[in-house]
Amino acid sequence: MSETDVIIVGQGIAGVSLSLLLERQGVAHTLLGRKGGGKGFALAETLPPSALPLLSRLDLLEVFEAAAIQRTHGYHSVWGRDVVTDNNFFFHRGFQHGLKIDKQALSATLLGRQAAHVVWFEKLLSVSCDGPEVAVTFRHDERTHRISGKLLVDATGRQRAVLRRLGIRTQDFDSLTAFSCHVPRVDHPALPHGVLIEAFEAGWGIVSRLNERENVFTLFTRTAGANEVAGQDALLAPLHKYANWHRHLSETKFLRHFLSGDGATKVLGAKANSSKAHTMAGRHWLALGDAALSFDPLSSHGITNAVYTAQLAASTIVAARSGGGEGALREYEATLTAIFMQYLQSKDQLYRQERRWPHAAFWRV
């Protein structure tokens, strides 16, 4: 058995960012990373200019820029009407560019910096927050290990692996689902930014340059409700097969031009819905990043949420250790709850702007 002050479970951007910030504060901690985890599907996610001042304040901008695929200077959208809008980052205050991020490469870079704090595991067996200490039991190299501490952090993303073991429920606010694939790169002369968001009858899609050879293509729809049949309402089921994408996108202004002719292209599905943990902090624990709050990809809040909540969690932990105790943890939860409620209002406003298919199942919700 080993001991530390803070146990962080999860080696994504949120967890590793928290590790880095706690190290700067001199807080003893251990980062538990799942061996083989973090090997995801490259999505070339865009970090908007509004996120870069936060990275600069935390002295993380150089690290993120080094792991970026490229700088981005805007994106195009066809939303609410049948015309393309040029959303140019040049008009933003402060930074006039964003960053196209490879999350796996960024996580690996950050993990390399925090290697001294990382302990790997194959399987999480149990977590406990009863009594004066927290404890995590896990399996590694066919042996069972236990680590104890004063505070436990769930940084396992949408899996919420720690929260589930603590009996904390998840609140889902919609059933948005993402279907992603890599397709041969196509450059459209009317879309110089290389990133396009466009709505269609069954949902919305985004296509983004990944590298010199490929684009990442993702379509978002929702699962059928209890009184709906997916096939009838053109919702979830057809989009896991790439061969069906042509039919759904045939009337789009631009998305259809990025489809390749290979119907066997592999498509991966994943949750993309708005959700939050019913409780985001307790007496000896807290959640951050997607484990606390999960945002609709339309908001571009994912990576920013990871870094911001890591910053807030680090200051909360320091305050709790300095006598703030449960009050600091309650304030942490109140702050995240307020952020999420404001986000839901903004998200709803964005979706209400699209009224071209008022009777379509996706847009009725």
Side-chain angles (χ1 to χ4, degrees):
M1 183 181 76
S2 60
E3 296 182 0
T4 189
D5 283 354
V6 179
I7 304 169
I8 306 167
V9 184
Q11 75 273 31
I13 293 173
V16 187
S17 295
L18 176 60
S19 173
L20 189 151
L21 295 173
L22 291 180
E23 181 182 64
R24 293 177 183 174
Q25 296 284 347
V27 177
H29 67 280
T30 297
L31 176 64
L32 293 180
R34 187 169 65 84
K35 198 171 184 179
K39 295 180 180 179
F41 185 79
L43 291 175
E45 297 177 56
T46 297
L47 198 60
S50 58
L52 303 191
L54 170 64
L55 296 178
S56 182
R57 289 196 302 271
L58 297 178
D59 196 25
L60 289 173
L61 183 56
E62 184 177 340
V63 179
F64 275 66
E65 286 188 324
I69 298 171
Q70 64 184 55
R71 289 186 174 188
T72 59
H73 298 279
Y75 65 94
H76 303 279
S77 60
V78 181
W79 193 275
R81 53 183 185 156
D82 193 29
V83 296
V84 63
T85 300
D86 184 340
N87 303 275
N88 198 315
F89 293 159
F90 177 79
F91 300 102
H92 282 250
R93 291 183 179 180
F95 291 87
Q96 279 78 47
H97 68 273
L99 297 175
K100 190 169 290 188
I101 297 292
D102 181 336
K103 288 178 66 174
Q104 287 71 42
L106 176 59
S107 295
T109 298
L110 292 172
L111 271 174
R113 295 177 58 144
Q114 298 306 107
H117 298 280
V118 179
V119 172
W120 296 101
F121 69 91
E122 281 91 29
K123 185 176 182 180
L124 193 65
L125 299 177
S126 66
V127 298
S128 172
C129 287
D130 300 325
E133 69 172 23
V134 300
V136 178
T137 305
F138 57 94
R139 183 170 296 143
H140 180 56
D141 288 340
E142 300 183 351
R143 295 178 58 189
T144 298
H145 303 263
R146 184 177 185 271
I147 183 171
S148 62
K150 299 174 183 176
L151 192 140
L152 179 62
V153 177
D154 190 340
T156 61
R158 288 178 179 269
Q159 294 182 8
R160 299 186 168 104
V162 173
L163 298 187
R164 285 190 288 105
R165 286 168 173 80
L166 293 177
I168 306 299
R169 301 190 309 276
T170 293
Q171 293 178 282
D172 290 326
F173 293 81
D174 57 73
S175 59
L176 192 71
T177 304
F179 295 92
S180 299
C181 65
H182 290 172
V183 295
R185 175 169 166 173
V186 173
D187 294 319
H188 195 288
L191 307 172
H193 294 312
V195 180
L196 167 72
I197 297 171
E198 183 173 0
F200 59 99
E201 185 175 5
W204 62 276
I206 180 169
V207 62
S208 179
R209 293 174 190 156
L210 178 62
N211 51 46
E212 294 300 318
R213 303 178 309 279
E214 294 176 303
N215 285 332
V216 179
F217 207 153
T218 304
L219 300 184
F220 298 88
T221 187
R222 67 178 180 86
T223 55
N227 298 319
E228 298 171 339
V229 177
Q232 289 180 349
D233 286 305
L235 291 173
L236 181 66
L239 293 179
H240 74 279
K241 294 182 179 180
Y242 185 72
N244 293 322
W245 286 28
H246 292 74
R247 174 167 58 89
H248 286 291
L249 302 181
S250 62
E251 301 298 321
T252 58
K253 190 176 186 69
F254 290 108
L255 284 179
R256 59 191 174 90
H257 296 297
F258 293 90
L259 292 167
S260 70
D262 187 359
T265 298
K266 183 178 180 180
V267 175
L268 298 180
K271 284 187 175 182
N273 64 314
S274 302
S275 67
K276 66 181 286 291
H278 188 269
T279 307
M280 292 172 284
R283 185 178 178 186
H284 297 299
W285 63 270
L286 62 81
L288 78 164
D290 280 348
L293 311 169
S294 296
F295 295 101
D296 187 311
L298 187 62
S299 70
S300 297
H301 286 345
I303 299 176
T304 307
N305 177 50
V307 178
Y308 174 77
T309 55
Q311 176 198 29
L312 188 61
S315 61
T316 298
I317 291 168
V318 171
R321 285 164 46 88
S322 302
E326 292 185 50
L329 292 165
R330 285 195 297 269
E331 184 177 347
Y332 174 83
E333 173 155 29
T335 300
L336 293 191
T337 299
I339 289 171
F340 193 75
M341 293 302 104
Q342 184 177 11
Y343 149 76
L344 286 179
Q345 293 180 4
S346 299
K347 176 183 74 74
D348 289 346
Q349 290 174 0
L350 281 173
Y351 276 97
R352 289 193 187 105
Q353 292 174 11
E354 183 52 81
R355 299 183 178 183
R356 287 177 288 174
W357 303 280
H359 303 296
F362 181 86
W363 300 102
R364 283 201 307 264
V365 176

